Amino acid sequence: MSINTDAFREYLQLEKKYSTHTVKAYCDDLTSFESFHKAYFDQEEIDHVGYGQIRNWIVVLVNSAVSNVSVNRKMASLKAYYKFLVKTKQIETSPMLPHKALKVPKIIQIPFSEKEVTAVLNQLQEVVGFEDIRNKLLIDLLYTTGMRRAELIHLKLTNIDLANRLVKVVGKRNKERIIPILPAIADQVCGYLKERSLVLVGVDEDYFFLTKKGLKLNDSFVYRLINSYFSTVSEKVKKSPHILRHSFATHLLNNGADLNSVKELLGHSSLASTQIYTHNSLSELKNVYQETHPRGRK
């Protein structure tokens, strides 16, 4: 790693407040570009390059069957790096200025229906033992708060305020937000904490959700859990924690919640991010309109 890359990592962590995962991805992309640049141009230094060299990397990536989405992410890493070099006056202009993102197909995420969510929770109605109680609470908490998978994994005991029925979530760029929790969820939390107290915990004792061995959950564990339960009730292609977050937003909008409130609950910085969830609520709105307007019933 070059000195600039080390400084870039600190910039992302301390100033941009990016997550550890994002910082690693950006730095890995820089390492990949450094390797490409050395192999094709016999130069290790990537601070002073032209867009033509970057364009060559794009061509190699595309020809290697790397998806446009992944290529765009790698270009975002380079764009951030050269922006950092300009900001710190190490270069005058960014070579990424002429770049335009590759086109990607617009994928509509299909949420779970309310019936599907209810069916999964009904499976866990008579839960007994630590793991089943944890699993039901985990699914219910994702669905009733809309928090991200990473936010749930990093949830700590001190983030739960049972007295006021609130949960503090630390989101992207370490932004904190407060989400209310329903009375039924608060009751589940109490039951889970009783079972959790019987688990032998160690270095991860501060974290709210644990495995039966007392360890903090990880991304793949949560994904597999959601996929496993929803595979029994849904034929949708994608069954993931993000789809559950998507369902949370869509069901709120379908039942009359305003867009700004959903934006705050999701922790989005702009309404543009929240509006991607409105296509399903619009579908519901069309049905209501068709059924209730006098002309629609004819």
Side-chain angles (χ1 to χ4, degrees):
M1 280 290 180
S2 67
I3 295 175
N4 279 334
T5 308
D6 293 335
F8 178 59
R9 182 189 290 108
E10 292 185 4
Y11 163 76
L12 294 176
Q13 291 173 331
L14 303 178
E15 187 168 332
K16 302 299 289 184
K17 297 189 184 300
Y18 285 167
S19 69
T20 302
H21 177 77
T22 300
V23 172
K24 183 180 184 304
Y26 274 38
C27 290
D28 286 348
D29 290 337
L30 285 185
T31 301
S32 295
F33 183 55
E34 282 179 334
S35 298
F36 163 81
H37 197 253
K38 182 178 180 180
Y40 277 74
F41 300 102
D42 196 26
Q43 296 175 356
E44 293 189 22
E45 180 60 60
I46 65 168
D47 290 359
H48 301 279
V49 301
Y51 182 64
Q53 292 160 298
I54 295 171
R55 179 71 182 172
N56 284 337
W57 191 38
I58 295 173
V59 171
V60 169
L61 291 171
V62 172
N63 289 339
S64 301
V66 177
S67 71
N68 285 8
V69 171
S70 294
V71 172
N72 284 343
R73 197 212 67 210
K74 293 177 187 297
M75 293 307 107
S77 301
L78 290 189
K79 186 176 180 180
Y81 180 63
Y82 290 114
K83 187 176 180 180
F84 160 72
L85 293 183
V86 170
K87 185 173 184 178
T88 54
K89 302 186 186 305
Q90 297 179 63
I91 60 174
E92 291 186 4
T93 57
S94 169
M96 290 295 293
L97 289 178
H99 178 71
K100 291 184 179 179
L102 302 184
K103 290 184 178 180
V104 295
K106 195 169 185 179
I107 300 174
I108 296 177
Q109 301 282 6
I110 303 175
F112 299 121
S113 67
E114 293 183 40
K115 185 178 179 180
E116 287 171 335
V117 176
T118 301
V120 167
L121 293 174
N122 283 343
Q123 289 178 20
L124 290 163
Q125 199 62 43
E126 301 298 328
V127 291
V128 178
F130 170 74
E131 289 187 288
D132 282 349
I133 290 173
R134 178 204 61 206
N135 293 351
K136 184 175 190 300
L137 177 58
L138 187 153
I139 294 169
D140 235 337
L141 203 58
L142 283 174
Y143 177 59
T144 59
T145 65
M147 70 174 70
R148 300 177 179 92
R149 172 171 49 179
E151 293 170 344
L152 177 127
I153 288 171
H154 291 96
L155 201 63
K156 294 192 174 181
L157 289 170
T158 53
N159 294 139
I160 306 289
D161 180 356
L162 278 176
N164 295 300
R165 294 205 295 267
L166 298 171
V167 57
K168 181 172 72 174
V169 172
V170 181
K172 291 183 177 180
R173 303 190 188 184
N174 289 325
K175 287 175 61 178
E176 294 183 355
R177 69 184 187 280
I178 304 296
I179 307 175
I181 54 178
L182 300 172
I185 304 302
D187 291 341
Q188 283 190 60
V189 170
C190 290
Y192 167 72
L193 289 176
K194 288 179 183 177
E195 293 292 331
R196 185 187 180 282
S197 66
L198 303 176
V199 173
L200 184 64
V201 295
V203 293
D204 295 332
E205 62 182 352
D206 292 339
Y207 291 95
F208 182 73
F209 281 113
L210 300 173
T211 68
K212 63 181 179 181
K213 293 182 179 180
L215 302 174
K216 184 180 74 165
L217 306 186
N218 57 47
D219 285 350
S220 60
F221 180 97
V222 178
Y223 176 85
R224 289 197 306 270
L225 188 147
I226 298 300
N227 186 270
S228 174
Y229 278 106
F230 279 90
S231 290
T232 65
V233 302
S234 177
E235 295 183 356
K236 291 179 174 64
V237 174
K238 191 168 184 181
K239 296 175 279 287
S240 68
H242 181 72
I243 296 299
L244 204 49
R245 172 175 162 86
H246 188 49
S247 305
F248 162 82
T250 301
H251 296 172
L252 281 177
L253 291 166
N254 284 348
N255 287 283
D258 68 275
L259 203 57
N260 268 309
S261 297
V262 176
K263 167 183 168 292
E264 293 301 317
L265 288 168
L266 291 171
H268 286 159
S269 56
S270 70
L271 273 178
S273 299
T274 315
Q275 285 171 335
I276 64 172
Y277 298 103
T278 60
H279 70 275
N280 291 292
S281 58
L282 283 173
S283 176
E284 182 71 15
L285 186 60
K286 286 179 182 177
N287 292 333
V288 173
Y289 175 70
Q290 182 75 22
E291 293 171 5
T292 58
H293 195 279
R295 295 280 291 173
R297 294 196 298 269
K298 292 183 179 179

